[in-house]
Structure formats: structure tokens, C-alpha cells
């Protein structure tokens, strides 16, 4: 077996920063120093740099994908980068930092294990840095790294770093951040990106890459509340499997084992798991994020959109949902009374906006009561009424059974991302 | 339990012996990256099968589409994938690949639909390029879109990966196409969590990319652990080739050799499988999956950069083709 077939864990990272904080340079540096950039990509970047009249090869071009972006020099949307070290595989969702930011970050960071927020050491904690940190905490990204960049431009001064750290800590207290780490870096020169910097002997922590390799993410999954949304019912036509009836889906929480008693929602029937199947044979347990198919001892009528869980640990079955929603559409806005399609786990229903309680100012965290609508990139607390019961957990307990999207029924576009709150 | 346990669980002690309860506890219920990717892809494929009326899977016989089909088969085991596969046939294929294609669909019991570029040429819907550098690569888009329209497919699985190319790095897993098959990169639907939105009007369709998060190395590593069979041209073999634009092109009826181009026999392999007129081979002695993995891990050039003339045309070549409906 070759080295690369050896098991290694995958981790999803989202990056955030204001324009010119050095995000592209940092990502370019990570890719470059881990030898994830190929010669032809590098040559293309060099060619384009020359065409654009740049003095130096612009590493940022490595991450600017589309023609419009290259021409306008801005990053339009979320782009994904991949790199690996012998320890881990990394997926970076690179989200641009201009006004569309909220929409892009929600798109890129909803499944992230870790967020890197960049700060320019000369500028300190800006309104935008607060917004980025707030969004990370709203999306419940378990690990947050504050990378204080351009340390070379402040003489690698410890005092500057410490001041930013304490200012940011004060703000972060208002948020719910489980794991917060500060790293002083120079993306341009590589200090503390892959290797520990000689220029900052006062810094006792890890380099950024070392931190990304070590941070413990497996325990972030919910292994307590068993949740399995049925995606598809497998009923083979071939005679040899004639009696096979497998409920296919991906485990959203908890651990399922053959012999476990389960309850089926919404019907409320109970049965026992007779086997957990994969194409490679049966398993003796299944946990997130495995895709499996489950067979039960009893023949019950189960279809897509149903959920299996344990009789003594069930999600809330409800048509009334309190949630934070982030509006993602520029063509329309959220208003009380609006009717939309909703997708939650594998269930579609229709939803009416009963109430908009407040709009949240993402910079100050101030609640604007009395708001009458949510526009693009705005976040607010709403109550929805759905046509069918949904099986929900609080988003803070489970990012899969606690999240939903709203879809405009006329245009079919996804207009909002929602996170379930306790009622 | 069988040997698969050893690769399924991320355990500090990788071995061929079954993982015991205690060992599994130390693994913290982690999945290794290949099983994580596999699970994500299967989830996507099942979503599509559940929510669309007429999905189909694009199958060229290339390694990515082979892996995609393998995942589709796994997703519905012990049943079969509830959709056909479609091959957009330029008529300029490597014969090994066509044989492989036919053997593969036969073995897996899936239905093959062939959309042929030649039919579009004969019907005058496209005109064939002329000259020694003629390629049918550009013409594929017309044939692909016609195939989708004629068969009324509403979801089309493609094997594209985001690590392949810069424009692809920005594309969603569910990529909406209007009634002309066009992709609008500036107006993509936000894609959050794993809540895919495949809603569309009649005539529109969704391209679905279950391998979005796989890298070339992941694909090869997975081919190794799953023992997936590939067309022989992916492995080192002797072939008559000549140099053009820094690539080794095969001597086939699809290409015209120009002055100064001298065919020779070399030991080569292919990193991608495309139209024979524009897909180059690389010098290689890698004859097994293991050796290919070692070569890919050490490679300093992307697979498309190394071997695809179609992507070299300009910085934005892929983006431009994608906008009008290309794979
Ligand atoms: N001196 C210095 N300049 C940097 C550093 N990181 C980035 N820059 C420069 O800051 C500018 C903006 O960087 P870029 O990566 O494009 O920022 P982005 O908009 O956040 O992606 C460029 O001119 C970079 O060369 C750093 O650590 N030190």
C-alpha cells in the first residue's frame, strides 16, 4: 500500500478576511509551501501577472478563478481549494470579503470544522473582523483561528499582537466560540504559516499549518442523539433480493447498531434494526457521516422524509419553528406572511413566515425589534409555520437536523439558510 | 466482519484483522478521508435518484466516470442504479476505452445511451473543423445538449472535480442549467449544508457533480482500495506517438500528422481520457495502480495542463466552454 492510501482525516476550513488583509496570499502560501501547486498553474499565474503589469508574481491569482474576477480584480464567489499533508486532507472554502460576504460565507462555511479569520496587524480588529467572527459562531463552526497577518509591517511586535488579542477576546465573550486560537503570521514572508517564525521568538504557539493538522475535530460530531433521515428506499427487483427493503440515508447523529430499538417518525411505529448494510457488507455500527442502508425487523410503511431515532431520544416533531435565518437573495426580501418552500433533512414542505421578531445588526449584535423585512445578507429571528411536521433539533445540538433552506417557489432559487432555535 | 473494516475505520492501528470494539473506541468514531468522500458522494447520488424524474450519468470510460459509476452502484446495492448512463461519443475514441465501456455496462447491468457527434455532423447541426489540428472536442457540447433534450433528462451526473481547474473550483455540487444548457457562474444558487436544491422548470436541468471534493490522488487511492478496473490506456504501454505542442499525441485515424512531426514508439500512459485528437499521453513506466499513485503524488503538473490541448487554448478556456453547456 502506498503512503497516500493510509487513512487520514479530512477537515473543512473556511477563510474570512476583509479585502487586502492577505487572505489570497495566505492560501497561496499554504498551497505553495505544502507543494500543492503545480508547475502549469504557477506558470499560468506568472503569465497573467505579467499581462496585468504586476511587478511580482501575484500568488492571489492562484485562487481567483473566473474571468470576471481576473478582469475586475475581485473574488466573486466561493471557491474550493484542496491540499494535503501526510497527516490530513484539507478542503478550504475560500470566501471573498466584500459586501456579499454574509451570503458567501454562509455558502462556504456551513459545513466547516474550522474558520480562519484574518486581521491586518496594522489595522487591528475592524467591524468586518467582528462580523466574520460572529458569522462563524452563528454557523457553529467549532474552531476559530484569528490569524493576525502582516506582522512584518509592525516589526513583529508582540505588543501589537497582544493588543489585538485582548480586544478580540472582549468581543468574543459575547459570542459562543468553543475554541479560539490566535496566531501571528506574515503570509507574504511565510512566518508562522508552515514553519515557526524566527522573527517572533516571543510566540510560544504552533504555526498555522501545525495547528490545522492537530486540532481535534472528530469529537465535534454529535454521537449522542441518534438521527437517520430516510433518503431513498432500496427495493431490488431481482428475485434473489426480492424481500430486501433497505432504508438508505446518511447518519446525522448518534450511533446505530443492529438490535437497537428505533421509532419511525412521523408514524410513531417502533421496530428493531435487523441489519446495517453497505455495498461492502454489513456493519456492526454506524455513525456520522456514514451513508448506509438500514433494514428493520418489521414491515412498516416508511418513505423518503421519514426519520429513524431512538424511542427515548427524539427530535421535536413540529410545524412551528423558531429560527435564525440569513437572507441570501437580492431579488426579494423576507416579510411576514410570505410563503416559501422549505427543505429540512430529506423533507420538503411549505412554510409561512408568521413573525419576524428582530433583525440582527451583524456588526454590533444589536437586535432591531420592529424590523419589517430582511434583505440580502440580513439575519433575523423568525417563526415559521410549516404544512407538514418537521423533525428538528436545535442547530447548536446538531448542524444537520437543525438546519434548513427556504426556496422561492416562483424562481426556484434558494433564498435563505435557517438555523433552528429552541422555541 | 470482513476485511473492509480495516479501511472503513480510521484507526491508529491499521491492519488486516478486524477492528475490535476497544480499538474502535480509540478511533473516536472517525472516518478516513476516502470513506468520508465516498459517503458524501453516495449521499448526493441518492438525493438525485430520490428527487428527480429522469437522471442520467455521463460515462466516458475515463477514471472519474468509472469511479462515479462505481459509487452509484454502491449507493443502491443490492439493487441497481435507477438511471441509465450516457456516453457522448466523438467517434475519435481510443478503441480500448470503447471496449471497456461496453464490458463495464454489461457487467454492472446498467443501460447505456450513446449520443454520437457523428449524427450531429451528418445532420448538419455542427460542422466539422478542418485541417490537421481539427478536433471534435468543441462539437461535444451540441451532442451532449441534444442527448439531454431528446432523452428529457432533468439531472445529469458529471465526474468533474473542483481540483481540476479554476472555473470548476467555483462550481456547486448541483449546478443549475437554463433551457439552453448554460451555466451562469455569477448567479449560482447558494449551497448550504447538504441541503441540495434541485428544483427547476421544465426544460431546465441540473448538472450534478458527486466527485466535487475529490482530488486526482483521492481518485487513484480509491481505485486502489476498491480494486476498480480501468481501461488499459491509464497504465504504461507501448504506443506510436508524436510530439505536438509539448504533448505526446497518439497516431490514430483522428489526427493528421504535419510536416516535421515524427512518429516513434514510446512507453506512455494517459492521465485523462478524452478525444484522441486532443488528449496527450505522458512518458511513464507506471504499470500498476500503486506505481500510478506514486507518480501522481510526485507530479508537478496538473492532469489537464499536462495532457489537454483544449484547456491550453486560453486562461479562460474551460470557463467559456462551461458557460455554453460543456461537461
Ligand atoms: N507586507 C505584507 N504584505 C502582505 C502580507 N500578506 C499580504 N500582503 C499584501 O497585501 C495585499 C493584499 O493581499 P491579498 O492576498 O490580495 O488580500 P485579500 O484581498 O485578502 O485576498 C497584497 O499586496 C499582498 O502582497 C504580509 O504578511 N505582509
Amino acid at each position: 500500500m502506498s503512503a497516500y492510501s493510509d487513512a487520514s482525516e479530512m477537515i473543512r476550513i473556511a477563510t474570512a478576511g476583509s479585502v487586502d488583509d492577505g487572505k489570497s496570499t495566505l492560501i497561496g502560501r499554504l498551497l505553495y509551501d505544502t507543494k500543492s501547486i503545480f508547475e502549469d498553474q504557477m506558470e499560468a499565474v506568472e503569465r497573467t501577472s505579467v499581462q496585468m503589469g504586476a511587478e511580482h508574481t501575484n500568488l492571489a491569482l492562484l485562487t481567483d478563478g473566473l474571468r470576471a474576477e481576473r478582469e475586475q480584480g475581485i473574488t466573486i464567489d466561493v471557491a474550493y481549494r484542496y491540499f494535503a499533508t501526510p497527516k490530513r486532507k484539507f478542503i478550504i472554502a475560500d470566501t471573498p470579503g466584500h459586501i456579499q460576504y454574509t451570503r458567501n460565507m454562509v455558502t462556504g462555511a456551513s459545513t466547516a470544522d474550522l474558520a480562519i479569520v484574518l486581521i491586518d496587524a496594522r489595522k487591528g480588529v475592524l467591524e468586518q473582523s467582528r462580523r466574520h467572527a460572529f458569522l462563524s459562531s452563528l454557523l457553529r463552526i467549532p474552531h476559530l483561528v484569528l490569524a493576525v497577518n502582516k506582522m512584518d509591517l509592525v516589526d513583529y511586535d508582540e505588543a501589537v499582537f497582544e493588543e489585538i488579542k485582548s480586544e478580540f477576546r472582549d468581543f468574543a465573550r459575547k459570542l459562543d466560540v468553543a475554541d479560539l486560537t490566535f496566531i501571528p503570521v506574515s503570509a507574504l514572508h511565510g512566518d508562522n504559516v508552515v514553519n515557526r517564525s524566527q522573527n517572533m521568538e516571543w510566540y510560544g504557539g504552533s504555526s498555522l499549518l501545525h495547528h490545522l493538522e492537530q486540532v481535534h475535530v472528530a469529537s465535534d460530531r454529535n454521537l449522542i442523539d441518534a438521527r437517520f433521515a430516510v433518503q431513498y428506499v432500496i427495493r431490488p427487483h431481482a428475485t434473489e433480493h426480492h424481500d430486501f427493503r433497505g432504508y438508505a440515508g446518511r447518519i446525522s447523529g448518534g450511533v446505530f447498531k443492529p438490535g437497537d430499538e428505533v421509532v419511525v417518525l412521523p408514524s410513531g411505529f417502533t421496530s428493531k434494526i435487523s441489519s446495517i448494510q453497505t455495498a461492502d457488507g454489513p456493519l456492526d455500527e454506524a455513525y456520522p457521516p456514514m451513508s448506509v442502508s438500514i433494514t428493520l425487523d418489521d414491515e412498516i410503511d416508511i418513505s423518503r422524509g421519514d426519520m429513524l431515532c431512538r424511542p427515548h431520544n427524539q427530535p421535536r416533531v413540529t410545524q412551528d419553528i423558531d429560527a435564525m435565518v440569513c437572507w441570501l437573495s437580492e431579488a426579494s426580501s423576507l416579510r411576514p406572511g410570505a410563503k416559501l418552500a422549505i427543505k429540512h433533512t430529506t423533507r420538503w414542505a411549505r412554510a409561512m413566515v408568521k413573525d419576524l421578531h428582530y433583525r440582527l445588526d451583524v456588526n454590533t449584535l444589536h437586535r432591531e425589534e420592529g424590523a419589517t423585512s430582511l434583505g440580502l445578507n440580513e439575519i433575523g429571528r423568525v417563526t415559521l409555520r410549516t404544512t407538514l411536521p418537521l423533525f428538528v433539533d436545535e442547530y447548536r445540538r446538531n448542524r444537520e437536523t437543525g438546519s434548513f433552506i427556504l426556496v422561492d417557489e416562483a424562481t426556484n432559487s434558494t433564498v435563505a439558510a435557517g438555523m433552528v432555535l429552541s422555541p | 466482519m470482513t476485511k473492509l473494516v480495516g479501511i472503513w475505520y480510521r484507526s491508529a492501528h491499521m491492519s488486516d484483522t478486524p477492528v475490535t470494539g476497544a480499538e474502535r473506541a480509540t478511533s473516536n468514531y472517525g472516518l478516513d478521508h476516502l470513506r468520508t468522500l465516498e459517503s458524501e458522494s453516495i449521499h448526493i447520488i441518492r438525493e438525485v435518484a430520490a428527487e428527480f424524474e429522469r437522471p442520467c450519468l455521463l460515462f466516458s470510460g475515463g477514471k472519474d466516470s468509472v469511479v462515479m459509476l462505481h459509487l452509484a452502484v454502491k449507493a443502491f446495492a443490492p439493487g441497481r442504479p435507477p438511471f441509465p448512463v450516457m456516453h457522448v461519443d466523438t467517434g475519435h475514441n481510443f478503441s480500448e476505452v470503447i471496449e471497456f465501456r461496453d464490458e463495464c455496462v454489461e457487467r454492472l447491468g446498467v443501460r447505456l445511451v450513446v449520443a454520437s457527434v457523428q449524427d450531429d455532423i451528418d445532420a448538419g447541426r455542427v460542422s466539422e473543423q478542418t485541417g490537421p489540428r481539427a478536433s471534435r472536442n468543441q462539437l461535444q457540447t451540441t451532442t451532449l445538449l441534444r442527448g439531454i433534450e431528446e432523452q428529457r433528462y432533468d439531472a445529469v451526473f458529471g465526474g468533474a472535480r473542483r481540483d481540476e481547474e479554476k472555473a470548476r473550483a467555483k462550481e456547486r455540487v448541483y449546478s443549475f442549467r437554463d433551457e439552453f444548457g448554460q451555466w451562469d457562474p455569477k448567479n449560482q444558487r447558494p449551497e448550504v449544508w447538504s441541503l441540495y436544491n434541485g428544483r427547476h422548470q421544465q426544460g431546465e436541468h441540473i448538472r450534478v457533480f458527486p466527485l466535487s471534493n475529490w482530488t486526482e490522488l483521492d481518485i487513484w487511492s480509491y481505485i486502489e482500495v476498491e480494486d476498480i478496473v480501468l481501461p488499459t490506456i491509464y497504465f504504461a504501454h507501448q504506443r506510436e506517438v508524436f510530439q505536438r505542442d509539448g504533448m505526446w499525441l497518439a497516431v490514430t485515424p483522428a489526427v493528421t500528422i504535419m510536416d516535421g512531426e515524427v512518429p516513434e514508439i514510446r512507453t506512455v500512459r494517459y492521465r485523462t481520457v478524452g478525444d484522441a485528437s486532443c488528449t496527450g499521453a505522458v512518458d511513464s513506466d507506471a504499470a500498476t495502480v500503486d506505481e500510478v499513485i506514486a507518480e501522481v503524488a510526485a507530479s508537478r503538473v496538473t492532469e489537464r495542463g499536462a495532457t489537454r490541448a483544449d484547456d491550453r487554448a486560453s486562461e479562460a478556456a474551460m470557463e467559456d466552454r462551461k458557460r455554453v453547456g460543456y461537461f
Side-chain angles (χ1 to χ4, degrees):
Chain A
M1 278 263 234
S2 67
Y4 271 91
S5 309
D6 287 351
S8 71
E9 201 172 32
M10 194 165 95
I11 140 162
R12 295 171 200 258
I13 298 169
T15 56
S18 311
V19 177
D20 285 344
D21 282 350
K23 194 162 54 64
S24 312
T25 310
L26 182 73
I27 294 173
R29 168 67 59 188
L30 276 172
L31 298 178
Y32 191 76
D33 285 359
T34 56
K35 306 205 168 17
S36 314
I37 297 185
F38 295 100
E39 281 165 10
D40 53 323
Q41 291 173 316
M42 202 60 209
E43 280 162 17
V45 163
E46 280 161 6
R47 268 200 312 275
T48 310
S49 298
V50 171
Q51 273 164 22
M52 289 173 36
E55 273 171 48
H56 306 283
T57 299
N58 184 355
L59 273 186
L61 288 174
L62 277 169
T63 61
D64 284 347
L66 302 168
R67 168 175 286 177
E69 293 174 69
R70 288 191 298 278
E71 284 166 3
Q72 298 162 32
I74 50 149
T75 317
I76 289 170
D77 206 308
V78 184
Y80 296 85
R81 318 283 158 205
Y82 301 82
F83 71 100
T85 67
K87 294 209 178 76
R88 271 189 175 164
K89 307 274 306 183
F90 300 92
I91 301 181
I92 298 189
D94 178 10
T95 52
H98 51 89
I99 11 226
Q100 291 288 345
Y101 189 72
T102 304
R103 174 187 154 126
N104 291 335
M105 180 146 177
V106 171
T107 301
S110 61
T111 55
D113 300 300
L114 179 147
I116 301 173
V117 171
L118 260 94
I119 286 188
D120 184 328
R122 296 170 305 174
K123 297 185 192 154
V125 181
L126 301 178
E127 194 172 276
Q128 299 202 44
S129 329
R130 293 201 184 90
R131 191 192 312 163
H132 299 151
F134 166 68
L135 287 171
S136 311
S137 82
L138 182 76
L139 291 165
R140 297 257 143 209
I141 301 174
H143 308 274
L144 179 60
V145 174
L146 210 76
V148 181
N149 188 32
K150 308 200 185 180
M151 286 299 293
D152 56 303
L153 298 180
V154 296
D155 296 327
Y156 299 105
D157 185 356
E158 180 176 12
V160 173
F161 177 67
E162 287 300 328
E163 197 185 316
I164 291 174
K165 214 166 129 176
S166 81
E167 189 183 346
F168 190 83
R169 273 236 172 82
D170 281 345
F171 168 74
R173 264 190 269 281
K174 293 192 238 170
L175 308 173
D176 216 349
V177 182
D179 172 32
L180 178 60
T181 307
F182 296 86
I183 305 178
V185 299
S186 168
L188 192 64
H189 301 296
D191 298 87
N192 286 337
V193 177
V194 169
N195 299 310
R196 285 278 305 275
S197 165
Q198 306 290 320
N199 296 315
M200 291 177 271
E201 297 291 352
W202 47 264
Y203 171 69
S206 315
S207 72
L208 177 63
L209 181 66
H210 188 70
H211 181 72
L212 300 180
E213 286 185 325
Q214 299 296 328
V215 64
H216 197 59
V217 293
S219 54
D220 298 333
R221 298 194 178 105
N222 180 333
L223 294 171
I224 297 164
D225 311 314
R227 301 286 184 265
F228 181 81
V230 176
Q231 271 192 287
Y232 188 90
V233 182
I234 298 177
R235 302 209 59 183
H237 298 298
T239 42
E240 59 200 289
H241 302 295
H242 202 70
D243 294 328
F244 185 92
R245 185 191 265 249
Y247 304 107
R250 194 163 63 151
I251 314 279
S252 296
V255 180
F256 286 84
K257 296 191 180 79
D260 281 354
E261 190 172 10
V262 289
V263 59
V264 183
L265 300 176
S267 69
F269 288 120
T270 56
S271 183
K272 275 206 173 109
I273 295 182
S274 51
S275 70
I276 300 174
Q277 298 288 344
T278 71
D280 303 301
L283 294 177
D284 58 8
E285 58 182 356
Y287 48 85
M290 287 183 181
S291 284
V292 297
S293 52
I294 291 179
T295 62
L296 299 179
D297 280 354
D298 305 282
E299 260 195 39
I300 330 179
D301 186 25
I302 297 178
S303 50
R304 174 176 167 86
D306 291 0
M307 184 176 280
L308 305 188
C309 55
R310 306 272 284 151
H312 299 296
N313 178 344
Q314 301 189 19
R316 211 147 43 83
V317 179
T318 180
Q319 287 174 257
D320 297 291
I321 292 167
D322 266 38
M324 292 297 284
V325 299
C326 183
W327 196 254
L328 307 172
S329 164
E330 48 197 334
S332 63
S333 56
L334 174 142
R335 287 172 197 282
K339 294 195 180 80
L340 297 149
I342 183 170
K343 186 180 190 185
H344 171 262
T345 62
T346 55
R347 229 161 207 251
W348 281 99
R350 298 184 73 215
M352 180 161 61
V353 181
K354 298 281 285 186
D355 218 341
L356 172 60
H357 302 282
Y358 56 80
R359 178 164 54 210
L360 200 65
D361 183 319
V362 290
N363 299 318
T364 61
L365 305 189
H366 176 72
R367 295 173 177 188
E368 300 164 21
E369 320 260 349
T372 53
S373 69
L374 291 181
L376 176 62
N377 294 317
E378 292 184 332
I379 294 170
R381 178 171 182 147
V382 299
T383 301
L384 305 175
R385 172 80 185 168
T386 58
T387 49
L388 293 174
L390 303 180
F391 320 127
V392 299
D393 291 296
E394 255 187 275
Y395 184 72
R396 56 181 302 143
R397 254 195 103 74
N398 189 319
R399 285 165 89 181
E400 278 179 46
T401 54
S403 57
F404 60 84
I405 55 171
L406 297 175
V407 172
D408 185 307
E409 292 178 300
T411 62
N412 289 327
S413 48
T414 305
V415 291
M419 289 149 278
V420 176
L421 301 166
S422 62
Chain B
M1 302 237 345
T2 52
K3 76 170 173 49
L4 90 106
V5 180
I7 50 170
W8 187 279
Y9 295 105
R10 184 183 62 86
S11 157
H13 334 272
M14 294 288 291
S15 71
D16 292 336
T17 49
V19 176
T20 66
E23 274 180 301
R24 209 170 299 127
T26 61
S27 81
N28 250 328
Y29 293 107
L31 274 193
D32 76 34
H33 78 276
L34 287 180
R35 295 299 147 191
T36 305
L37 290 168
E38 176 187 64
S39 175
E40 178 180 86
S41 302
I42 288 177
H43 175 257
I44 293 163
I45 292 167
R46 287 171 171 171
E47 275 302 278
V48 170
E51 291 202 340
F52 290 83
E53 275 167 37
R54 293 179 66 84
C56 96
L57 183 146
L58 293 175
F59 185 70
S60 63
K63 67 180 187 316
D64 299 314
S65 71
V66 173
V67 166
M68 183 165 64
L69 182 56
H70 180 85
L71 289 163
V73 168
K74 289 187 90 167
F76 302 100
R80 287 190 183 150
F83 41 76
V85 303
M86 178 161 81
H87 181 217
V88 176
D89 185 352
T90 60
H92 289 171
N93 299 287
F94 296 100
S95 57
E96 296 93 327
V97 178
I98 294 296
E99 281 161 31
F100 173 86
R101 176 197 76 185
D102 294 341
E103 179 275 316
C104 205
V105 297
E106 171 90 33
R107 173 164 41 88
L108 299 174
V110 293
R111 188 163 66 84
L112 171 71
V113 174
V114 177
S116 156
V117 171
Q118 189 64 50
D119 289 349
D120 289 300
I121 294 170
D122 295 346
R125 283 184 288 262
V126 292
S127 51
E128 180 138 39
Q129 292 177 358
T130 51
R133 286 174 175 273
S135 161
R136 289 184 168 182
N137 194 56
Q138 297 284 334
L139 310 184
Q140 289 183 92
T141 302
T142 303
T143 308
L144 169 66
L145 294 176
R146 177 176 57 80
I148 293 171
E149 202 174 306
E150 280 177 6
Q151 303 284 333
R152 290 179 290 114
Y153 293 134
D154 52 0
V156 180
F157 290 108
R161 311 185 318 265
R162 287 177 179 149
D163 81 320
E164 265 179 82
E165 204 280 329
K166 288 196 292 185
R168 292 200 153 150
K170 310 229 157 181
E171 190 161 16
R172 305 284 195 248
V173 172
Y174 272 39
S175 184
F176 174 81
R177 300 306 161 103
D178 67 12
E179 62 270 53
F180 299 101
Q182 299 182 104
W183 179 54
D184 180 0
K186 278 202 190 179
N187 198 11
Q188 301 194 81
R189 292 177 179 173
E191 199 160 75
V192 284
W193 299 290
S194 347
L195 293 169
Y196 303 106
N197 171 12
R199 294 169 73 113
H200 60 280
Q201 308 278 334
Q202 201 167 9
E204 300 166 344
H205 73 276
I206 309 281
R207 297 281 173 89
V208 182
F209 302 107
L211 305 180
S212 287
N213 287 323
W214 297 59
T215 64
E216 185 184 13
L217 202 49
D218 296 331
I219 294 285
W220 280 107
S221 304
Y222 189 71
I223 287 167
E224 180 182 49
V225 296
E226 294 282 299
D227 264 328
I228 296 172
V229 184
L230 291 184
T232 52
I233 68 167
Y234 278 110
F235 303 99
H237 59 284
Q238 302 248 302
R239 189 178 286 272
E240 188 176 20
V241 293
F242 63 95
Q243 186 122 61
R244 181 182 290 175
D245 304 333
M247 298 189 302
W248 293 112
L249 282 189
V251 177
T252 69
V255 295
T256 311
I257 296 178
M258 296 188 287
D259 278 353
E261 291 175 338
V262 189
E264 57 183 295
I265 306 282
R266 297 186 73 90
T267 306
V268 296
R269 65 176 205 90
Y270 286 85
R271 279 179 77 179
T272 67
V273 164
D275 192 82
S277 65
C278 67
T279 305
V282 291
D283 283 318
S284 171
D285 294 318
T288 65
V289 176
D290 253 12
E291 287 164 9
V292 170
I293 290 177
E295 191 186 281
V296 170
S299 171
R300 303 303 306 140
V301 182
T302 61
E303 57 187 18
R304 297 198 81 90
T307 63
R308 294 299 279 266
D310 40 340
D311 288 336
R312 292 178 163 192
S314 85
E315 259 290 83
M318 176 64 89
E319 183 184 337
D320 292 342
R321 275 180 292 144
K322 284 188 74 62
R323 278 172 184 275
V324 295
Y326 189 69
F327 299 103

